[in-house]
Amino acid sequence: MKLIWSPTSPFARKVRVAAYELGLHERLTLEALNVQPGKLNPEYATSVNPLRKIPALILDDGEAIVDSLIICDYLDALAGGDRIIPAANPERARVLTAHSIANGVIDTLVQLRYETWLRPEELRWQVWSDDLWDRVVHGLSWLEQRAGAPRDRFDLAAITTACMLGYLDLRFAGAAWREKFPALAAFEAAVRDRPSLGNTAPPQG
Ligand SMILES: N[C@@H](CCC(=O)N[C@@H](CS)C(=O)NCC(=O)O)C(=O)O
């Protein structure tokens, strides 16, 4: 299977962490693609993902699976199922809801990154950037309230939260989130040394 990715994409990292946790990482080959608004990547848009987002998983028969949640779900099933995404409710809904919040924070951070790094300065709208940051803070508060809850596995919600915090450190180093969200800081310290996270850490800088 081929994963189309980039080394700094938090969504691609999430898939790679999931693959490590599921013992499937050696079955993935990696192909880098540079994506960003304004870069049309016409071949990728035509043959893989019309929305031009990474990651995408290309199966051995050429079938393309897109969106990190769907790829993680596919990998979970390939590993036997019920490993990182619980099969039964209410646990399934709980994990997928927490995944949605952490994933939504990543989505918002990526938008903010485009706003503050890519968009020409004279075209920036401060109200929009402040609004996006407000969503990030509310998302972190939501996750903070649940971060201390006992976990019996490193599930997709935990994987996505860890990748989200890693992306905060990578792109928003001045955010000082550890002081404001101590339970998330404790969570990050507790999971940081997992090989799945260590082996997928983005290049710094
Ligand atoms: N919902 C998608 C989001 C993926 C996503 O936004 N990826 C970013 C890179 S981190 C991207 O491809 N951005 C390119 C663009 O929006 O033009 C997923 O979970 O896979």
Side-chain angles (χ1 to χ4, degrees):
M1 297 178 286
K2 183 170 71 180
L3 184 71
I4 304 188
W5 77 311
S6 100
T8 54
S9 164
F11 297 106
R13 185 182 187 199
K14 171 180 142 189
V15 169
R16 294 185 68 220
V17 172
Y20 267 98
E21 293 291 335
L22 294 166
L24 295 171
H25 56 285
E26 287 180 356
R27 290 176 61 180
L28 293 186
T29 57
L30 302 178
E31 183 177 305
L33 183 71
N34 180 12
V35 290
Q36 64 184 49
K39 194 162 192 316
L40 299 187
N41 286 323
E43 195 186 322
Y44 184 70
T46 307
S47 61
V48 180
N49 185 349
L51 303 178
R52 288 190 264 115
K53 290 180 185 281
I54 55 165
L57 184 70
I58 313 296
L59 303 184
D60 294 342
D61 65 2
E63 172 97 16
I65 303 181
V66 299
D67 198 286
S68 58
L69 171 60
I70 312 305
I71 299 171
C72 289
D73 184 49
Y74 179 86
L75 295 178
D76 192 48
L78 199 59
D82 200 19
R83 298 271 305 274
I84 56 170
I85 303 177
N89 284 319
E91 191 59 7
R92 178 179 172 79
R94 190 193 67 74
V95 168
L96 288 177
T97 297
H99 160 271
S100 283
I101 301 301
N103 207 67
V105 172
I106 300 179
D107 253 326
T108 311
L109 288 171
V110 169
Q111 283 186 66
L112 253 174
R113 167 89 178 147
Y114 293 152
E115 281 296 316
T116 50
W117 159 78
L118 198 59
R119 188 188 288 276
E121 204 159 349
E122 64 278 11
L123 297 179
R124 290 182 197 160
W125 182 27
Q126 191 60 43
V127 173
W128 180 227
S129 296
D130 292 347
D131 179 295
L132 292 174
W133 190 251
D134 183 68
R135 293 170 206 234
V136 168
V137 170
H138 279 282
L140 290 172
S141 301
W142 191 99
L143 293 163
E144 170 80 6
Q145 281 163 32
R146 289 152 182 88
R151 298 172 184 275
D152 55 1
R153 53 182 155 178
F154 194 54
D155 57 32
L156 187 64
I159 290 171
T160 309
T161 301
C163 292
M164 178 272 289
L165 296 173
Y167 190 68
L168 259 178
D169 281 339
L170 179 70
R171 296 300 193 208
F172 300 86
W177 62 269
R178 285 179 177 78
E179 288 139 43
K180 293 168 206 146
F181 302 103
L184 283 176
F187 163 80
E188 190 276 331
V191 301
R192 178 189 304 159
D193 291 334
R194 294 181 82 89
S196 61
L197 289 167
N199 289 325
T200 59
Q204 302 295 311

